[in-house]
Amino acid sequence: MSRYGAVVATFTDLMIAAVEESSRRDQREADIEHLFLALITTDYPAGHALRRAGVSLADARQAVEDQHAHQLQLIGINTGMPEPGRITAHQTTGHQLTRRTEEILYPSGEDEITYTSQVLRRLLEEPSGFISEVLKRLNVSAAEILAELEQALEAASPSTTATAQRGVLTATSTTFLPASAEEIWHLVSDAERIPEWDQTLGTVKNLSDDEGVWEAVVREQLPNGEQMKTKPKSRRRHIRRLLADEPHVIIWGISFPDAPQSNDLQHTVTLTPAEAGTQLEVIVRWIEPTHRLSLRSKVGRAIVGRPLRPVMRYFVRMQAAEFTRSISRHFR
């Protein structure tokens, strides 16, 4: 993926995470506090810096709520904020960023590694002082966070990548979850719960005549009401558990029984214990079934596939990122 494409993808990740935070209180506009909260659980340098400085998602949410209540009291309003609920942004539409959040989040020539650090710096310098007051409630200074940020930048690597080699297209996406590996394992290791983090799938059931194989059917519409456009031959899928090392690694293999010449799909989910939570890594692989293709099909794929390769890399990268977001929503 190009430098520009990587920054745009990171921008998208942060924007969606901020919108998800605002949706917990049924708000359609994501403001600077939602962007600040979104940064905490990212696998980018800004997220590492905040967590190393002792900022947890739960404490930061409480500090934001307390600061809002304080500001309302200053103007004589004692009504509290709406009670938070589950993240609902993926089920609704009409979400957007406030103007000041757009200005902070909008890229200005950085690469993927330095981009999130610049977003964090802009938040710390934001003229309203809201984030500064939140940090006071957390007993953390901007100087402490910036010191941790410098160390995080030295050790930084891209959190989402996409690569292509002969016959295999691979994308990797990582994030931080404020939950134990055991808690996350219960979600990602259960075949019948895959639709909870792969929104394209509807029902999943075990095939009684084939032990260890599940059959999934694609949804007709996504949770937000958007219609799914799926070819009839791709609607039915078979799922196999290729590897299970509890609670560390699970690999799911997905094939298309009605379209044997379609690429096979693999989802690898790796859970690594981290301070105050777990590092989540999702690898998506689209594997060309060369052993099932005729010579004519192989030549045709080579001719058509080459110019489409950058588009496919972007598609697979976004797919891996969406899986990490969907898993993350269960624990935020």
Side-chain angles (χ1 to χ4, degrees), residues 21 23-26 61 82-88 332:
E21 275 296 323
S23 75
R24 294 178 64 248
R25 296 184 185 274
D26 199 27
R61 281 173 171 169
E83 285 297 316
R86 299 292 299 172
I87 291 171
T88 59
R332 287 192 284 126

Side-chain angles (χ1 to χ4, degrees), residues 190-210:
D190 187 341
E192 295 184 8
R193 295 189 68 185
I194 291 177
E196 295 182 35
W197 50 275
D198 183 348
Q199 295 185 67
T200 64
L201 299 183
T203 59
V204 175
K205 62 179 181 180
N206 187 254
L207 293 179
S208 58
D209 58 343
D210 198 344

Side-chain angles (χ1 to χ4, degrees), residues 114-125:
T114 60
Y115 167 58
T116 59
S117 66
Q118 288 302 104
V119 171
L120 178 56
R121 291 177 193 275
R122 292 172 199 149
L123 280 172
L124 297 178
E125 298 168 356

Side-chain angles (χ1 to χ4, degrees), residues 58-71:
D59 289 345
R61 281 173 171 169
Q62 187 61 55
V64 166
E65 183 174 347
D66 291 345
Q67 183 59 25
H68 273 303
H70 174 69
Q71 289 183 332

Side-chain angles (χ1 to χ4, degrees), residues 66-320:
D66 291 345
Q67 183 59 25
H68 273 303
H70 174 69
Q71 289 183 332
L72 290 173
Q73 288 173 357
L74 291 177
I75 57 175
I77 300 175
N78 294 313
T79 303
M81 295 285 290
E83 285 297 316
R86 299 292 299 172
I87 291 171
T88 59
H90 60 297
Q91 300 170 334
T92 53
T93 58
H95 297 275
Q96 60 184 6
L97 304 176
T98 62
R99 175 63 64 86
R100 62 179 180 175
T101 307
E102 285 181 347
E103 292 174 352
I104 290 172
L105 189 57
Y106 197 79
S108 57
E110 305 93 349
D111 59 27
E112 180 187 7
I113 300 299
T114 60
Y115 167 58
T116 59
S117 66
Q118 288 302 104
V119 171
L120 178 56
R121 291 177 193 275
R122 292 172 199 149
L123 280 172
L124 297 178
E125 298 168 356
E126 201 277 325
S128 75
F130 185 88
I131 300 301
S132 297
E133 293 301 317
V134 168
L135 292 180
K136 289 179 183 178
R137 294 180 180 276
L138 292 168
N139 294 316
V140 178
S141 69
E144 290 176 272
I145 293 173
L146 291 174
E148 294 291 352
L149 182 60
E150 291 304 315
Q151 294 186 34
L153 283 169
E154 292 178 3
S157 60
S159 69
T160 306
T161 59
T163 60
Q165 60 186 53
R166 188 175 183 85
V168 182
L169 195 59
T170 303
T172 303
S173 181
T174 62
T175 194
F176 170 84
L177 301 185
S180 68
E182 288 75 15
E183 291 176 279
I184 303 166
W185 180 262
H186 290 309
L187 171 65
V188 300
S189 65
D190 187 341
E192 295 184 8
R193 295 189 68 185
I194 291 177
E196 295 182 35
W197 50 275
D198 183 348
Q199 295 185 67
T200 64
L201 299 183
T203 59
V204 175
K205 62 179 181 180
N206 187 254
L207 293 179
S208 58
D209 58 343
D210 198 344
E211 186 177 353
V213 180
W214 292 262
E215 183 172 275
V217 178
V218 172
R219 295 176 187 264
E220 292 187 2
Q221 62 178 213
L222 294 171
N224 65 1
E226 182 181 343
Q227 292 295 317
M228 288 278 294
K229 297 179 181 179
T230 308
K231 294 179 180 179
K233 289 185 177 181
S234 300
R235 287 189 54 78
R236 200 163 60 98
R237 302 177 185 185
H238 283 175
I239 301 174
R240 291 174 171 81
R241 187 186 288 116
L242 304 181
L243 174 69
D245 178 14
E246 183 177 357
H248 306 295
V249 182
I250 183 82
I251 302 179
W252 295 106
I254 300 175
S255 59
F256 302 81
D258 300 320
Q261 291 190 335
S262 293
N263 292 348
D264 291 328
L265 181 59
Q266 280 187 11
H267 298 159
T268 301
V269 180
T270 302
L271 306 175
T272 305
E275 186 175 352
T278 303
Q279 187 88 1
L280 167 70
E281 178 187 75
V282 175
I283 301 176
V284 175
R285 291 187 180 91
W286 285 92
I287 305 170
E288 191 174 277
T290 53
H291 61 288
R292 299 198 298 264
L293 297 177
S294 65
L295 178 60
R296 183 176 180 179
S297 295
K298 291 179 182 178
V299 173
R301 282 185 175 225
I303 294 173
V304 175
R306 187 175 297 275
L308 293 177
R309 197 167 293 167
V311 176
M312 289 304 299
R313 277 201 298 266
Y314 180 78
F315 165 76
V316 177
R317 189 266 179 212
M318 295 306 292
Q319 188 177 40

